Amino acid sequence: NGNQLRTIASLANFISENPNAKLIFLVGAGISTACGIPDFRSPGTGLYDNLAKLNLPFAEAVFDIDFFKQDPQPFYTLAKELYPGNYEPSKFHHLMRLFQDKGRLHRVYTQNIDTLERSAGIHAENLVEAHGSFAHNHCIDCGIEYPHEHFKKAILHGSGKLARCTKCNGLIKPKIVFFGENLPSHFFSTWDDDLEIMNKDYIVIVAGTSLAVYPFASLPTEIPTSVKRALVNLQKVGDFKANPRKSDIVFSGPTELAAEELAKQLGWQEEFQELVEA
Ligand code: OAD
């Protein structure tokens, strides 16, 4: 509606009126639902409501390291579904890429493991995959690293055969951060560096996340008050709800609509369309 589009206009104004402003994105599953990948917590459509067929004791067990050691099969089923290569980036991914092309992207922090930021062409140095990805794999017992084909073959084969370490017979698992595991140290060090340099010339856009999983969920809270924050999400979430700041810009709607409108209002429609259609 008109009100919501006005919030995109104020975001576009801020970006155009501060030509030195650099963008930092903090994103989650809601930027990939338009690609056909379910998010986790949306009632009805989210993965955690649809894991019944995996026979889990509780929904988040699919990403629980202790549960994985007992029964890796549910994660195999999910991994087969989510394995990179099956999906194309969304309009929101393309918009982040366009900011990069314009020299305005500072960083993308993603909780997603679908690697669609890479598919959209976000450079490695601009990207922090906070919850890891399928790209790196290791034995959960002895730590030896394996090429990703090793695990991929086991899940795609679907014979129930598990990918196991040739040295110690431990389970091989992609370095996706499970509950009970630490986030990559690169996540913490990069965020610390970014906190140091963030000033009024930065704008942080939080998009498509319920801000339910820590430590990622605490990032918006840590943003200095001199730095502009924006939220693009179906609902108001996390610190935007608990501790709203007067200067926050909140768009309550689909990320793909926000991307399209923002590109339009910034006058980047043609380049945006080229990326979307490529
Ligand atoms: P959630 O499913 O918790 O939240 C997704 C958010 O995006 C919700 O607030 C939705 O309302 C919103 N949303 C969905 N589709 C949208 C759309 N088209 N436009 C705008 N908003 C939309 O997903 P995350 O916050 O990413 O861990 O979940 C965080 C972590 O929990 C995930 O990284 C995952 C999970 O356990 C791992 O994968 C290791």
Side-chain angles (χ1 to χ4, degrees):
N1 67 33
N3 248 347
Q4 281 308 314
L5 292 185
R6 268 198 290 281
T7 65
I8 296 294
S10 57
L11 192 52
N13 284 342
F14 183 87
I15 294 167
S16 342
E17 284 162 11
N18 296 276
N20 294 324
K22 290 256 194 170
L23 284 91
I24 296 176
F25 288 92
L26 309 177
V27 301
I31 71 163
S32 295
T33 48
C35 314
I37 306 175
D39 68 6
F40 296 92
R41 295 177 182 82
S42 281
T45 57
L47 270 170
Y48 290 151
D49 260 3
N50 290 289
L51 288 171
K53 54 179 186 240
L54 299 182
N55 274 325
L56 296 170
F58 56 100
E60 293 183 346
V62 71
F63 289 126
D64 188 282
I65 192 66
D66 293 322
F67 181 78
F68 178 77
K69 287 174 190 164
Q70 292 165 29
D71 183 6
Q73 217 57 63
F75 177 69
Y76 271 61
T77 306
L78 187 69
K80 187 174 179 182
E81 169 77 26
L82 292 184
Y83 208 85
N86 296 337
Y87 299 96
E88 298 287 330
S90 70
K91 287 182 178 166
F92 199 88
H93 291 99
H94 292 306
L95 182 76
M96 298 196 293
R97 159 68 193 272
L98 190 49
F99 277 110
Q100 175 177 279
D101 291 350
K102 298 277 180 187
R104 303 287 295 270
L105 182 70
H106 180 71
R107 201 86 68 194
V108 175
Y109 290 85
T110 183
Q111 298 167 89
N112 299 343
I113 53 172
D114 55 33
T115 59
L116 289 178
E117 295 84 5
R118 298 179 189 208
S119 314
I122 305 292
H123 296 149
E125 67 269 23
N126 292 335
L127 183 62
V128 177
E129 292 172 324
H131 292 167
S133 79
F134 286 97
H136 299 282
N137 292 260
H138 69 147
C139 165
I140 60 170
D141 290 333
C142 73
I144 294 183
E145 308 228 345
Y146 283 88
H148 70 94
E149 289 83 9
H150 220 81
F151 180 78
K152 185 178 179 184
K153 231 189 272 162
I155 56 161
L156 296 187
H157 201 258
S159 62
K161 204 166 161 261
L162 302 172
R164 287 196 177 272
C165 179
T166 50
K167 296 264 158 42
C168 77
N169 205 37
L171 289 164
I172 295 172
K173 171 187 156 300
K175 286 191 182 169
I176 288 166
V177 180
F178 277 32
F179 293 104
E181 291 188 312
N182 287 326
L183 275 66
S185 60
H186 172 67
F187 162 78
F188 295 101
S189 56
T190 310
W191 180 250
D192 282 349
D193 290 349
D194 285 352
L195 275 182
E196 286 282 310
I197 59 155
M198 255 185 244
N199 59 29
K200 60 169 183 41
D201 276 339
Y202 284 77
I203 171 159
V204 183
I205 300 181
V206 179
T209 172
S210 62
L211 292 177
V213 175
Y214 288 85
F216 199 96
S218 65
L219 303 187
T221 319
E222 295 171 22
I223 297 165
T225 50
S226 57
V227 177
K228 184 74 141 179
R229 305 193 304 185
L231 175 70
V232 176
N233 204 61
L234 290 178
Q235 317 82 13
K236 221 180 251 188
V237 290
D239 207 51
F240 290 87
K241 195 169 155 186
N243 296 297
R245 300 178 187 177
K246 256 211 187 94
S247 55
D248 285 345
I249 295 176
V250 175
F251 173 79
S252 301
T255 54
E256 54 281 12
L257 175 64
E260 202 166 345
E261 270 305 311
L262 197 53
K264 200 194 296 179
Q265 301 201 21
L266 288 168
W268 299 349
Q269 214 167 6
E270 222 168 280
E271 293 140 288
F272 179 68
Q273 220 38 51
E274 270 170 30
L275 286 175
V276 171
E277 282 162 18

